[in-house]
């Protein structure tokens, strides 16, 4: 059984950071092929399965804003290629904007609760009287990664429709992938890996018996990441300090 692996790099990175801790070493130098092989090897109903193709979808960090991050990312991407941890890297891009939004805090479920005018910071009118239910607006710099979800979907469906794979694994919790994953499930068994501690996106849920069947779902834990690291040195590339 030839298995294609499709990784949403942005989703995986921030999910892994939430699982392991931003300042914690030992998870960034991830060997994607070893992780994928481990996940596929656990499936007792995918007999003879092996990783045929691994596609990593990401975007390059802007060196003007984050030179250290760009340097470390370049080392990692080159290491993935040299170490044959991936077969193909598909690049999206980042866009930078200024956005406006109401000031808010999170509740226990992570949902936004708008900050309202109240002492010690009270919004008052020209007469000095409080303005009931006034909210605060903030202007902030926003950088958004674009293209990874589309690239994951495109490679997944191209490989399914051309018969290049017999099964697929998608590593992402992006609900925008609902339709391509549903279509893939009609034709090949699909494993869906949630790389974060968040609940699985409702749009990505389903039944193991849908379509051709033998589908499965898995949520990564910190140990999956810590246990699948590249060697400290691969070819001419060495793991960045703190990774």
């Amino acid at each position: 059984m030839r298995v294609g692996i499709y990784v949403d790099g942005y989703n995986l990175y921030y999910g892994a950071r939430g699982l392991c801790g931003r300042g914690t070493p030992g998870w960034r130098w991830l060997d994607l092929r070893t992780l994928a092989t481990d996940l596929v090897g656990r499936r007792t109903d995918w007999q003879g399965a092996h990783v045929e193709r691994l596609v990593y979808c990401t975007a390059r960090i802007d060196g003007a804003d984050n030179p250290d991050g760009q340097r470390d990312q370049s080392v990692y991407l080159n290491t993935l290629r040299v170490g044959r941890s991936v077969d193909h890297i598909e690049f999206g891009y980042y866009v930078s904007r200024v956005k406006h939004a109401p000031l808010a805090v999170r509740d226990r479920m992570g949902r936004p609760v708008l900050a309202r005018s109240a002492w010690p910071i009270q919004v008052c009118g020209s007469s000095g009287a409080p303005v009931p239910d006034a909210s605060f607006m903030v202007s902030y710099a926003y950088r958004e990664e674009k293209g990874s979800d589309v690239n994951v979907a495109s490679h997944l469906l191209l490989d399914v429709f051309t018969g290049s794979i017999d099964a697929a694994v998608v590593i992402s919790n992006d609900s925008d992938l609902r339709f391509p994953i549903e279509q893939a499930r009609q034709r090949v068994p699909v494993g869906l890996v949630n790389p974060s501690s968040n609940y699985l996106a409702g749009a990505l849920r389903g039944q193991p018996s849908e379509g051709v069947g033998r589908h499965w779902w898995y949520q990564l834990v910190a140990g999956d990441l810590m246990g699948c690291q590249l060697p400290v040195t691969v070819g001419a590339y060495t793991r960045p300090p703190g990774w």
Side-chain angles (χ1 to χ4, degrees):
M1 175 185 279
R2 302 165 301 165
V3 182
I5 311 294
Y6 308 90
V7 182
D8 181 340
Y10 178 85
N11 213 264
L12 174 58
Y13 173 80
Y14 283 100
R17 193 174 79 174
L19 288 170
C20 300
R22 182 170 187 169
T24 304
W27 59 271
R28 289 176 177 83
W29 200 234
L30 183 62
D31 187 339
L32 295 170
R33 189 174 297 275
T34 296
L35 175 64
T37 300
D38 179 54
L39 294 172
V40 169
R42 300 179 195 179
R43 308 310 307 176
T44 58
D45 55 348
W46 281 19
Q47 293 185 359
H50 66 275
V51 176
E52 175 76 10
R53 174 170 166 79
L54 198 154
V55 178
Y56 182 59
C57 300
T58 188
R60 290 192 181 276
I61 295 173
D62 186 350
D65 293 336
N66 186 358
D68 291 340
Q70 183 193 54
R71 182 182 61 251
D72 290 348
Q73 183 195 44
S74 294
V75 170
Y76 180 58
L77 295 176
N78 287 329
T79 301
L80 291 178
R81 291 191 181 101
V82 170
R84 298 184 179 180
S85 186
V86 300
D87 295 299
H88 180 76
I89 299 177
E90 190 70 47
F91 289 102
Y93 57 95
Y94 280 97
V95 294
S96 298
R97 299 187 178 98
V98 174
K99 287 195 171 186
H100 306 279
L103 189 66
V105 295
R106 292 183 178 182
D107 67 10
R108 288 185 298 177
M109 299 295 292
R111 297 169 298 195
V113 178
L114 298 186
R116 296 295 185 181
S117 170
W119 295 113
I121 301 177
Q122 177 72 60
V123 177
C124 297
S126 58
S127 66
V131 178
D133 296 323
S135 60
F136 301 95
M137 297 296 295
V138 296
S139 174
Y140 64 100
Y142 180 76
R143 297 187 72 247
E144 182 181 10
E145 184 273 344
K146 305 286 287 184
S148 285
D149 53 354
V150 175
N151 290 335
V152 166
S154 299
H155 279 281
L156 168 66
L157 293 180
L158 280 171
D159 288 349
V160 169
F161 289 141
T162 59
S164 301
I165 58 171
D166 305 308
V169 174
V170 177
I171 302 179
S172 179
N173 195 32
D174 188 337
S175 59
D176 289 344
L177 293 172
R178 176 193 61 81
F179 181 75
I181 288 177
E182 286 179 351
Q183 293 303 304
R185 287 176 185 153
Q186 299 302 311
R187 296 161 176 82
V188 298
V190 177
L192 182 62
V193 179
N194 177 2
S196 74
S197 60
N198 298 330
Y199 291 110
L200 176 68
L204 301 181
R205 297 174 185 174
Q207 298 298 322
S209 59
E210 290 177 5
V212 299
R214 291 191 293 165
H215 313 302
W216 50 269
W217 289 257
Y218 180 74
Q219 187 165 22
L220 288 180
V221 296
D224 294 322
L225 304 163
M226 298 285 194
C228 294
Q229 297 292 293
L230 292 157
V232 173
T233 299
V234 179
Y237 303 100
T238 299
R239 183 178 63 200
W243 277 42

